[in-house]
Amino acid sequence: MIDLKRLRYFVAVAEEAHFGRAANRLGISQPPLSEHIQALETSLNAKLLFRTTRSVSLTVEGEALLKHARAILHDTDRCQEIVNASRQQNIESLTLGILHAHTYTFLPGLLRSYFARHPAYRVHLVEYSTTEQVGKLLEGVIDIGLVREPIYHPSLRTQRLFSERYAVAVPDTWDIARKKTLSVRDLGGRSIIGYPSHDHRRSTQSLFRDFFHQYAVNPSDRFEVKTMHAALALVAAGCGFAPVPRSQMVLQLAGVAYRPFREPSPELSVGLAWREDKASPLVAEFVQLCQTHFAQPPRRGRARASS
């Protein structure tokens, strides 16, 4: 019977083409490694390697064994995975679509609440934009999604969870960054860096065009990038200011200062979306938990956001 450890050692030597590098990779000294390879050759009655003082190459027999050895080790490594999968077949699991900003704002607190109530359940998180989530819901790839509203589709049901106002991200080198709050009029004559929404009426450019008009504010220039995080990179570089959800202020970035508006700024809303014809008890339970979770006053440190 061939020793699996020796096969693993052989694969390491073959891939590194050097006994010294293979020994470092395996965390052993070189003499025992050489002994194990020699023992493997003896057990197979074949020469597997050509050895020189500088490198190692495979014989024809060694080339044939390498492919087979990799397959054996791959199957061996999967044994624990297969056992775990069989153990979890009866565990309830939910595939949840999320937006990138959710991961560092409200999602951790929401999942803590969920697992406190259902410690044996599993949640698979997959990151998609709101537009992508609509498609993934219809395809059955995800069970339910945390999305930015509004969502309009006859096969989907939605539930608003919360709304929040926009704040503004400015370069920390600007003089107005010294203020604790900003008036929209402080932004006149400066460049706005916006980003799109799945609903063009809710893009930052659209929302803030009306907001600026209301207060007779005229930005000097307008830029649009694909994501809020790209906008923040330009803010940090001193290129302009960017509207952000207020909960985004928890994300600290070098060169960026977040400030709330004194005036009532535009709002955005976060909700759930799911297929009405696929509303399993697990989905209904998750919807109910989310409603309860967000109906509570936010605790200090529990942020909410959308992007």
Side-chain angles (χ1 to χ4, degrees), residues 25 33 42 57 60 63 75 86 119 126 152 157 163 207 216 218 223 225 236 245 279-280 286 293 303:
R25 166 174 157 180
L33 176 60
T42 299
S57 60
V60 174
E63 289 279 4
D75 288 344
S86 66
V126 286
Y152 303 111
R157 186 174 174 184
S163 298
L207 290 173
N218 293 306
F223 302 99
V225 292
S280 67
F286 186 77
H293 179 82

Side-chain angles (χ1 to χ4, degrees), residues 38-68:
Q38 289 170 0
L40 178 63
E41 290 179 318
T42 299
S43 67
L44 292 173
N45 192 29
K47 185 177 180 62
L48 303 174
L49 303 169
F50 291 119
R51 301 165 175 82
T52 69
T53 56
R54 295 185 177 181
S55 65
V56 172
S57 60
L58 294 172
T59 64
V60 174
E61 293 90 342
E63 289 279 4
L65 178 62
L66 178 60
K67 182 178 180 180
H68 191 54

Side-chain angles (χ1 to χ4, degrees), residues 165-169 181-188 192 201-219 222 241-244 246 259-267:
R165 292 194 180 277
Y166 276 94
V168 63
T181 62
L182 293 182
S183 168
V184 63
R185 295 185 176 89
D186 291 326
L187 302 175
I192 178 173
R201 295 166 298 179
R202 307 299 297 174
S203 70
T204 52
Q205 296 284 19
S206 297
L207 290 173
F208 276 77
R209 185 181 299 113
D210 296 339
F211 185 43
F212 291 148
H213 179 74
Q214 181 182 352
Y215 292 94
V217 172
N218 293 306
R222 299 173 187 270
F241 66 89
V244 295
R246 288 193 65 162
R259 297 293 180 266
F261 285 105
R262 294 192 200 115
E263 300 86 357
S265 59
E267 289 188 335

Side-chain angles (χ1 to χ4, degrees), residues 151-167:
I151 295 289
Y152 303 111
H153 195 284
S155 298
L156 298 182
R157 186 174 174 184
T158 61
Q159 173 65 54
R160 177 170 297 181
L161 296 177
F162 65 86
S163 298
E164 64 174 334
R165 292 194 180 277
Y166 276 94

